[in-house]
Amino acid sequence: MKRFLVFIAATTSLMLLTPACWAKADSLGINKDCESHPVSDYGMTSITAFSQYQAESKKITDAMTSFCNKGKSMGDMGFGAASDQSETESRQWSNANLPGQSDEQKAFRDTTAHLLYYAMLNGFSGFDYPKAPEQNNAPPVTGFSPYETCNAISSDAAEYSTSQLPPNVKISLSEWKQIKSEFEMVCLAGVMNGNGQKPVDKKLMAGLNDIARDVYLQSYKIGSTHPKLSSPEQNDAVREKKNATERAVKEKRNAAIIQQNRKDREKQMVMNHQVQQSVASLRNAVMQRMNHTTDFSGKKCSVKVWLSQKGEVLSAEDESGDAGLCSAALQATKGVKINSMSDDVYNVLRNVTLNFDL
């Protein structure tokens, strides 16, 4: 008969107990209710569907209770030895008490042996097996990250595996993490095989217990429903291509900025030259209209002039300086017209101050 293994967590927890605890190993299952609950409700449901159980229910339940109570007395054994003895005795009892060669009779005999095996180990460990697959639901996944997925699945499995320990049995955080890491390795194997469209690893499955098998199949299904992950080499190539594209875009953008800055500087230089020419033309035009400039030698005056875009003087006023020179300058601005100006130049010369230093 194929060996039915209790999940990895039980093995790990028992292996991590100190020698002093091993000497009192009976206490692991001492609180197990073997009379009314030798196996899990899920386990009982799996056998009550057989018509043969209806005729022999008392014999089967009595055997489960007996096997469970015997498990309580096996504290001097290690887990491996307890598992071996449970498997042997459960098969012997089923073969001796449940004869028949029809397919249904064989299935009933195998199911009974399966439950007797768990009944004895439940008495030994205090757990409640077999576990229903529905209790190990996949966590909600919004994206595909194998490590995040398996972190959630393995945490759930570890929580479940330790939640049914008797109240007087405690495990440390490091022991819990060890249990979780065992499930996580199984999960990663399942999720990567599923994602790689590889068949279920039957050899691996054969060596797992019920909960570990659930973890593997659950993660395998999740992996198979997501697009295949790229290999590290492909990821590197994609990453390098992305980086190269980003560099090219950045270089192109920088080149465009440099070119635009150069155009802006050239445009500014042209405009500055035009402004200087317009101011010089305006000042020269005013100076040409002023008479007797020698009379104002050593004098200074600042006059503010408003222009139209066509270059016409609209108005003027003195700002500071010699009154005589300013009066002559204001009189000279009347009727002055220079060349029309571009929008950019006019924005600068809409009004301009002319300085006269004679």
Side-chain angles (χ1 to χ4, degrees), residues 267-287:
K267 182 179 179 180
Q268 186 66 42
M269 291 174 63
V270 171
M271 189 187 72
N272 290 343
H273 180 67
Q274 291 174 344
V275 168
Q276 291 172 0
Q277 283 186 323
S278 296
V279 171
S281 295
L282 178 61
R283 188 177 185 282
N284 290 337
V286 172
M287 287 291 292

Side-chain angles (χ1 to χ4, degrees), residues 136-348:
N136 209 15
N137 294 326
V141 180
T142 56
F144 184 44
S145 172
Y147 287 99
E148 290 181 7
T149 298
C150 287
N151 180 58
I153 292 176
S154 60
S155 293
D156 288 346
E159 286 291 342
Y160 180 80
S161 70
T162 56
S163 64
Q164 300 183 58
L165 286 170
N168 59 329
V169 177
K170 305 295 183 182
I171 63 171
S172 67
L173 178 60
S174 62
E175 290 171 336
W176 187 91
K177 289 181 177 179
Q178 177 63 29
I179 294 170
K180 177 179 177 294
S181 69
E182 296 287 346
F183 286 121
E184 194 166 26
M185 287 188 290
V186 173
C187 177
L188 287 172
V191 78
M192 297 311 293
N193 283 353
N195 185 252
Q197 305 301 315
K198 297 179 181 179
V200 171
D201 191 335
K202 294 182 179 179
K203 184 176 181 180
L204 174 63
M205 288 282 286
L208 299 177
N209 51 65
D210 281 0
I211 291 190
R213 281 196 294 269
D214 287 344
V215 167
Y216 179 90
L217 293 175
Q218 178 183 332
S219 58
Y220 182 92
K221 182 177 180 180
I222 292 175
S224 65
T225 59
H226 288 82
K228 187 175 181 180
L229 292 173
S230 301
S231 66
E233 293 78 9
Q234 289 174 318
N235 287 337
D236 290 341
V238 170
R239 190 180 302 109
E240 178 55 32
K241 183 177 181 180
K242 179 181 178 182
N243 291 340
T245 301
E246 291 177 349
R247 286 195 300 270
V249 171
K250 185 176 181 180
E251 290 172 359
K252 185 176 181 180
R253 182 173 63 248
N254 290 341
I257 292 174
I258 292 173
Q259 184 177 11
Q260 185 61 47
N261 289 341
R262 183 168 59 250
K263 289 181 178 179
D264 290 343
R265 286 195 301 271
E266 292 173 351
K267 182 179 179 180
Q268 186 66 42
M269 291 174 63
V270 171
M271 189 187 72
N272 290 343
H273 180 67
Q274 291 174 344
V275 168
Q276 291 172 0
Q277 283 186 323
S278 296
V279 171
S281 295
L282 178 61
R283 188 177 185 282
N284 290 337
V286 172
M287 287 291 292
Q288 289 175 2
R289 287 171 172 263
M290 291 174 64
N291 297 319
H292 310 293
T293 55
T294 55
D295 295 341
F296 304 110
S297 179
K299 306 295 184 181
K300 296 181 180 180
C301 175
S302 295
V303 176
K304 191 169 188 178
V305 180
W306 279 264
L307 299 169
S308 71
Q309 191 167 355
K310 294 180 179 181
E312 302 166 330
V313 174
L314 300 177
S315 63
E317 65 179 22
D318 61 317
E319 289 187 328
S320 63
D322 180 75
L325 177 57
C326 287
S327 177
L330 290 174
Q331 185 64 31
T333 61
K334 295 178 180 180
V336 170
K337 183 180 183 303
I338 60 175
N339 293 331
S340 60
M341 296 168 280
S342 66
D343 291 341
D344 291 336
V345 173
Y346 182 63
N347 286 334
V348 177

